[in-house]
Amino acid sequence: MRPRRAVLLLVASLAAAPLLAQTPDDRGFDPTGVWYGQQGPLVLVRAGDTLSFSYSGVFGATAHICDGIGVAGFVGDGTWEYVDDEGTVTFTTKGGTVSMEATKGIASFCGANWPGATFTKEGWKPAFSCTVTTPKARFLTVAPSPEPRKGFVVKGDVVEAVGLVNESTPAWLLVRYVGKKQTTAGLLERDALECREE
């Protein structure tokens, strides 16, 4: 009787395994790529609990300009927050739609009275693939004035990349490298990469 009971428990466990594997990720869907909206484009790269972004937009009757780059942190339920001295911008990635809005203070990269923005899957373009061509390429911070980080990739590594849309960083691409132990996102120099599409 004991062996049969053990077999039944094993069968029940195996039957439940696919259900556990399909548990939804509370970070929402992966929005990595370029999103085109009414005000302008938004570039996103998700890596673990970070959402790196580059944004350029125009809003209002007097054509106010948005020009931003940074990293938002995951706060739960498909929601990410970028916080600086002027306020908090919240990104939401749910149901194939991306939204961004100032939820506290103002969006420093847009200024006062920015209404936020929403992007739908119809305006999405995926990241493209690039191969590292230099012996070693060090990641830089995702910021208006990028600084070197400890992480790096080496010649032959393949990364996912998107072009930046903010004005202050034309020499870099926003990339994601999926390693054996962790996924890293950051800026890499364009000259260190050979890309299949851009």
Side-chain angles (χ1 to χ4, degrees):
M1 293 298 246
R2 284 187 185 172
R4 184 176 176 187
R5 185 174 181 192
V7 169
L8 289 174
L9 287 173
L10 177 62
V11 170
S13 297
L14 291 174
L19 296 175
L20 296 174
Q22 295 173 7
T23 301
D25 186 340
D26 65 348
R27 289 177 296 173
F29 71 97
D30 182 358
T32 297
V34 185
W35 295 79
Y36 296 95
Q38 290 183 341
Q39 296 174 15
L42 170 67
V43 169
L44 295 174
V45 171
R46 186 176 101 172
D49 286 342
T50 64
L51 186 66
S52 300
F53 71 91
S54 171
Y55 179 58
S56 178
V58 178
F59 70 95
T62 55
H64 290 283
I65 294 174
C66 292
D67 182 45
I69 186 170
V71 180
F74 178 61
V75 294
D77 193 25
T79 304
W80 314 75
E81 290 184 349
Y82 170 75
V83 181
D84 64 17
D85 293 340
E86 296 189 46
T88 300
V89 175
T90 300
F91 296 82
T92 305
T93 56
K94 293 182 184 178
T97 300
V98 172
S99 65
M100 55 188 297
E101 63 178 326
T103 51
K104 183 179 179 184
I106 65 168
S108 59
F109 49 83
C110 287
N113 301 317
W114 174 61
T118 299
F119 305 84
T120 62
K121 199 71 173 179
E122 291 74 28
W124 174 75
K125 183 179 177 184
F128 47 88
S129 179
C130 298
T131 303
V132 179
T133 57
T134 57
K136 184 177 183 179
R138 190 169 296 281
F139 280 101
L140 299 147
T141 57
V142 182
S145 299
E147 295 181 2
R149 291 171 39 197
K150 291 181 181 179
F152 62 90
V153 285
V154 296
K155 188 172 184 176
D157 284 341
V158 176
V159 299
E160 296 172 273
V162 281
L164 299 169
V165 294
N166 62 300
E167 295 178 4
S168 59
T169 50
W172 300 284
L173 292 174
L174 179 54
V175 306
R176 172 170 67 184
Y177 174 69
V178 180
K180 292 178 182 177
K181 294 184 179 179
Q182 66 179 20
T183 300
T184 303
L187 301 183
L188 286 181
E189 291 185 17
R190 285 177 183 266
D191 292 346
L193 302 169
E194 182 178 285
C195 300
R196 292 173 181 79
E197 178 189 339
E198 194 171 335

